[in-house]
Amino acid sequence: MKISYLHNDEINFVRWDNCINNAFNGNIFAFSWYLNILCDNWCGLIMGDYKYVMPLIPHTIFNKKILITPILGEKLGVFTNEILTEKIVNQFFDAIPSDFKYVSILLNKYNKVSVSNFEIRNKKIFDIDLIQTYSLVSQKYSNAFRKDIQIAKSNSTTVINGLSPNELINLSLIKGSKSIPKLNTTDISRLRMIIAFSIRYNLGEIYGAFTAENNLCAAAFFIKSKNKIYLLFSTENKSSENSKAMSILIDRFIENHCEKNLTLNLDNLVVKDAGIFLQGIGATDFKIKKMYKNNLPFLYNLFLK
């Protein structure tokens, strides 16, 4: 089947979203409403009658066209409800127009690829299956994580669901707070729009942790779609680091969502030694591919993030 490269105004959003919604590997980041927030001129590669689709996020650097992975829109690549082979994924990357001199795309975990004209890098992600009872899930907690929860409880840390977007973002802007991912002013505006849409359509939740003095010290925004929940943004201040507030926040979220057919992804967790932390709550690690190509003149690279 032929692969077509379509600009934003040529894409049938209804057919596109039907493909993502029905795709066995569909995720929230590939729906048209989400892509519209990330980039108003996103484009796509389409095979057949929207049987296979691949979103592309274009930018320009001094008139040079590039494709990037947006900081709030990872795990893209090829989506379909049909058979997805390595050969098909390779065909999509071969179909990327040659005038894109720089390409950096993080794929979803169901994309296998081996094209020779791209550098292929591995990135580790962590997922937790929440279909079991909380009792069974928490049995996998490490002693260190159990200790962190007890420290948070001994500090009278409380956790609530239903924090406002302003509370979440304002905490991240306080001097000394840490956030993952780190957002600039434009990214913060995009995050606000994503939160507003997701809460309106019951796709998102904001959890917050408070000190004994009722001061917000940690917060996290979760977004869900197609039996998957992603921790999109998390932030905490020094008080949370010391009191382990983020630990009890994540534990409470897990407890509230157990016994559901859901997979929780916690890549954007703002904690020290995140890999050790995630293994300590029983998360399973997977390797996903990042496709990279750089044919830009040397000086242009100084302006890339």
Side-chain angles (χ1 to χ4, degrees):
M1 286 187 286
K2 179 184 175 183
I3 297 177
S4 301
Y5 170 69
L6 298 184
H7 293 96
N8 187 270
D9 58 0
E10 299 173 310
I11 295 172
N12 184 315
F13 288 171
V14 173
R15 290 185 179 180
W16 179 282
D17 286 338
N18 283 340
C19 177
I20 301 302
N21 191 51
N22 293 323
F24 74 90
N25 61 338
N27 64 40
I28 194 74
F29 310 112
F31 281 103
S32 63
W33 71 265
Y34 198 101
L35 294 167
N36 286 337
I37 292 173
L38 295 181
C39 177
D40 56 11
N41 66 331
W42 65 274
C43 45
L45 295 172
I46 298 167
M47 177 185 280
D49 187 15
Y50 291 83
K51 294 294 185 182
Y52 299 80
V53 303
M54 178 179 172
L56 302 175
I57 311 298
H59 285 266
T60 57
I61 297 181
F62 299 110
N63 297 320
K64 297 289 186 181
K65 296 172 66 176
I66 67 172
L67 294 174
I68 64 167
T69 295
I71 198 167
L72 293 171
E74 298 188 340
K75 304 175 184 68
L76 295 176
V78 182
F79 297 92
T80 185
N81 197 37
E82 306 289 326
I83 295 173
L84 184 59
T85 64
E86 183 176 306
K87 180 180 178 181
I88 291 174
V89 179
N90 289 346
Q91 287 176 316
F92 270 85
F93 277 90
D94 287 338
I96 293 175
S98 59
D99 53 348
F100 288 107
K101 300 303 181 183
Y102 175 93
V103 177
S104 177
I105 301 176
L106 188 66
L107 307 183
N108 65 79
K109 68 182 181 182
Y110 299 99
N111 281 189
K112 295 181 179 180
V113 64
S114 60
V115 283
S116 59
N117 58 332
F118 283 82
E119 180 183 341
I120 302 176
R121 302 173 178 179
N122 288 320
K123 179 181 178 179
K124 188 178 288 188
I125 64 170
F126 292 86
D127 289 344
I128 302 174
D129 189 352
L130 299 181
I131 199 167
Q132 294 180 317
T133 64
Y134 174 70
S135 175
L136 290 174
V137 172
S138 60
Q139 283 178 17
K140 300 176 184 177
Y141 287 174
S142 67
N143 290 334
F145 186 62
R146 295 176 194 274
K147 183 179 179 181
D148 287 350
I149 294 172
Q150 290 306 314
I151 291 172
K153 289 180 177 179
S154 67
N155 282 286
S156 300
T157 306
T158 55
V159 178
I160 68 164
N161 175 18
L163 209 65
S164 74
N166 280 340
E167 288 174 300
L168 169 77
I169 292 170
N170 288 343
L171 175 63
S172 73
L173 297 176
I174 294 174
K175 185 177 179 179
S177 289
K178 296 179 180 179
S179 303
I180 292 184
K182 294 180 180 179
L183 305 179
N184 59 31
T185 302
T186 301
D187 295 325
I188 290 173
S189 296
R190 289 174 178 149
L191 178 62
R192 287 185 182 276
M193 289 188 282
I194 291 168
I195 292 174
F197 186 100
S198 63
I199 290 179
R200 178 181 179 184
Y201 291 99
N202 197 32
L203 300 172
E205 299 176 88
I206 306 176
Y207 273 59
F210 291 81
T211 66
E213 297 76 30
N214 202 34
N215 295 318
L216 180 65
C217 61
F221 170 60
F222 301 86
I223 189 166
K224 59 185 177 180
S225 176
K226 292 179 62 63
N227 304 116
K228 302 180 184 71
I229 306 178
Y230 299 90
L231 173 58
L232 191 66
F233 181 75
S234 65
T235 184
E236 67 175 6
N237 61 21
K238 195 67 177 179
S239 173
S240 171
E241 288 187 65
N242 296 331
S243 67
K244 308 299 181 182
M246 188 59 75
S247 295
I248 198 170
L249 185 155
I250 295 300
D251 173 65
R252 185 64 51 80
F253 186 88
I254 289 173
E255 183 178 12
N256 289 347
H257 292 80
C258 277
E259 298 186 68
K260 299 175 183 177
N261 185 22
L262 294 170
T263 300
L264 172 63
N265 178 271
L266 294 170
D267 291 343
N268 291 327
L269 189 58
V270 59
V271 293
K272 189 176 181 180
D273 300 321
I276 295 173
F277 182 100
L278 291 166
Q279 290 174 347
I281 58 177
T284 302
D285 62 279
F286 300 90
K287 287 182 180 178
I288 59 176
K289 305 296 183 183
K290 184 175 184 178
M291 306 301 292
Y292 179 80
K293 180 170 68 174
N294 188 351
N295 292 327
L296 288 171
F298 174 76
L299 290 177
Y300 282 74
N301 291 282
L302 299 176
F303 300 93
L304 293 171
K305 289 185 179 180

